[in-house]
Amino acid sequence: MKIAVMGAGAVGCFYGGMLARGGHEVTLIGRPVHVEAITKRGGLRFESAIFDGVIPIGANTNPSAVAGADVVLFCVKSADTEEAGQQIAPHLKNDAVVISLQNGVDNAERLAAVLKQVVLPSVVYVAAGMGGPGHIQHHGRGDLIIGPSPRSDDIAKTFADAAIPTVVSGEVLPRLWDKLIINCAYNALSAIAQLPYGRLFEVEGTKEVMDSAILECIAVASELGIAVSPDIREKTYALVKVMPDQYASTVQDLARGRPTEIDFLNGHIVRKGAEFGIPTPSNLALQVAVKLRELERAGKAPR
């Protein structure tokens, strides 16, 4: 299978690397610093308990590199969805399957409006980060849930054969909301404190703040008719036992001085809450706190 990965960050590099290692023709489309490192090294540096070494893989800075791909994994930041969609639209094969592997709950819908074709939503469960240019560090998991389509079962089998456990489900949206709730609970606090999940609970009151944010998310989801997992609160708190040393992706964005996705996480809850008249003060406070850290990291904070 010929696969293009639009957005060669941690998620894109992990799944692209796994598929390339599985024998597929993969091209990573990303920033020059990553493409240059991959080209110079002769492949993607892949560091994981699964495999530790260099995986030969294509790399390009030009969105036109999606041309001819059977499957496009769309892995850009949520704020870049429309712009990146416009960049790849002229180059897609008519029958290319585009899968959104992004944070947030509305990216597939937003991307489909730009591409004028169906985009499969997916739920991504992977802990990974970039260890440097063209260097992916995988910390755990790697499974996917993808939406149904005439080709989804074949894609799921292809991914599974490449050691990416993949399930096809019509319940992608509720599961995306489950993940959104978990991200709303952890990402902002981890980013503000610059601490891994496990250390957040050393401060009294952390769980109460999280719980307030979770309940606001559940209220908004209910208003939208989204059936989140009935045990989502328990699942959220269980994460810290599984990944105590994990840092949120928002932490990585702040560390690199880049805009975060907070407007599409806690900010999404704030916007939807305002539409329905549902108070969301905890999510608003977390969103604003991260935005202030963004400002500070960009060197624009008052002295």
Side-chain angles (χ1 to χ4, degrees), residues 183 185-204 206 210 239-240 243-255 290 293 297:
N183 282 337
Y186 282 98
N187 277 36
L189 289 172
S190 180
I192 294 162
Q194 295 286 293
L195 290 173
Y197 298 161
R199 293 208 56 199
L200 298 178
F201 293 90
E202 293 179 17
V203 174
E204 187 177 352
T206 293
M210 282 189 177
L239 183 67
V240 73
M243 299 180 176
D245 300 321
Q246 179 67 22
Y247 286 84
S249 58
T250 309
V251 176
Q252 300 171 34
D253 290 334
L254 283 177
V290 172
R293 285 302 303 270
R297 288 301 176 103

Side-chain angles (χ1 to χ4, degrees), residues 27 29 60 79 81 84 109 123 171 182 234 236 238 248 251:
T27 299
I29 303 167
N60 204 307
T81 293
E109 180 181 354
V123 191
E171 294 292 305
I182 292 171
E234 290 78 9
T236 300
V251 176

Side-chain angles (χ1 to χ4, degrees), residues 2-36:
K2 187 173 182 181
I3 298 163
V5 180
M6 183 62 181
V11 169
C13 284
F14 172 75
Y15 289 104
M18 291 293 288
L19 288 163
R21 186 166 178 258
H24 300 283
E25 182 183 347
V26 179
T27 299
L28 299 175
I29 303 167
R31 293 185 297 276
V33 64
H34 290 300
V35 172
E36 182 180 348

